Amino acid sequence: MTKRTILVTGGAGHVGSHVVEMLVADPSNRVISLDNYFNGTEANHIPGAEYRRGHTKDIENLVPETPDVLFHLGEYARITPSFDDVRLVYDMNVTGTFAVVEFCRTRRVPKLVYAASSTRFAIEGDGRHQNPYSFSKSTNVDLINDYGRWYGLPYAICYFYNGFGPRERGDGKYATLIGRYEHLYRNGEPLTVVLPGTQRRAFTYVKDLARGIILTGEKGKGDGYALGATNSYSIYEIAEAFGAAIKMVEGYPGRSESAHDAVKARDELGWYPSVDVMNYIRDFVRTHPRP
């Protein structure tokens, strides 16, 4: 039986590792991960997948195979640190993604699936200009859409909303919120909430995001597949759910709301969120007594 070759950039990262895990479960798939391990880790490696270390800007040399589908998740993916890391953002998200899109064009890859950022839609559609990360991600959406117009590139674009769940990074500069709160909770430290605390997010379970981008690859065409949880919660509500001390701090709060329209993902892909973040936090607290 001829196997289908699937390339996942960022396959050792939070969401990417779950994408790889779901894909290798099908014995008809040969799954290759390309990751520079800036935020990914070998601890996220999944048996049965092939792992290659390197930058996406070098994809042409690192991947001699022409994949049947390419899931592109391998980018810089943090908002607040992106102000200080603007050179890294440009390197990974502009230079790297251009190389990926060109690879798909010149190799005639049957389908490119891009994991875009929901921040594009914030602030009445002006979210792309709020920080270097959002700008780069929005620019890449424009690039891929235009490659579809200019060259007939087959593609589909989905939008991630605040992933949480297993393999989430909880320590250091690049920790994401739920993982960071779990880390602080385990250490008996107060949970820090950036003022005003009313900013809301549609926290979406990582395996739902992975399932969603795979469905986008199978059924999606073009732009606009929002993969976001039905309910949104304020950052203060999230911290409060842990039942720990809360410390309000100054900082960059980001957008005030995470409103989205998941109708296209539901109707065309059959996608739906399966885990509510509040239930996830309650289970975590129940199984992790405070020190």
Side-chain angles (χ1 to χ4, degrees), residues 1 6 13 40 68 116 119 160 178 243 253 260 291:
M1 180 178 64
I6 302 174
D68 296 289
T119 57
F160 285 177
I178 304 300
H260 66 283

Side-chain angles (χ1 to χ4, degrees), residues 78-79 82-83 119 127-136 252:
R78 295 296 182 269
I79 294 175
S82 73
F83 288 103
T119 57
R128 67 182 299 152
H129 299 298
Q130 301 307 306
N131 55 77
Y133 164 75
S134 298
F135 176 80
S136 69
Y252 179 69

Side-chain angles (χ1 to χ4, degrees), residues 13-29:
H14 182 216
V15 182
S17 63
H18 289 278
V19 173
V20 169
E21 188 169 32
M22 291 180 183
L23 290 171
V24 298
D26 183 342
S28 68
N29 292 334

Side-chain angles (χ1 to χ4, degrees), residues 79-215:
I79 294 175
T80 302
S82 73
F83 288 103
D84 294 329
D85 291 345
V86 65
R87 291 178 182 273
L88 283 173
V89 175
Y90 189 93
D91 181 49
M92 295 184 201
N93 293 13
V94 178
T95 305
T97 293
F98 176 73
V100 170
V101 176
E102 266 291 278
F103 173 87
C104 290
R105 181 184 72 86
T106 59
R107 294 285 193 91
R108 299 187 180 275
V109 173
K111 193 166 193 179
L112 167 64
V113 186
Y114 181 56
S117 171
S118 60
T119 57
R120 176 181 174 92
F121 307 115
I123 316 175
E124 290 72 49
D126 194 47
R128 67 182 299 152
H129 299 298
Q130 301 307 306
N131 55 77
Y133 164 75
S134 298
F135 176 80
S136 69
K137 295 288 284 186
S138 292
T139 300
N140 288 342
V141 168
D142 293 341
L143 176 71
I144 293 167
N145 276 310
D146 283 341
Y147 261 60
R149 296 186 186 95
W150 300 336
Y151 304 112
L153 181 77
Y155 71 94
I157 300 171
C158 61
Y159 293 84
F160 285 177
Y161 284 77
N162 298 92
F164 72 91
R167 305 180 196 138
E168 183 175 0
R169 186 165 182 174
D171 62 329
K173 177 180 177 180
Y174 300 107
T176 43
L177 190 83
I178 304 300
R180 181 162 60 84
Y181 281 179
E182 289 175 343
H183 179 76
L184 293 171
Y185 180 93
R186 288 192 189 99
N187 291 340
E189 300 176 49
L191 309 190
T192 54
V193 175
V194 174
L195 290 164
T198 54
Q199 56 272 30
R200 303 180 72 84
R201 301 290 181 266
F203 291 96
T204 309
Y205 190 51
V206 63
K207 294 187 181 185
D208 290 336
L209 292 175
R211 180 167 47 85
I213 194 171
I214 291 171
L215 284 169

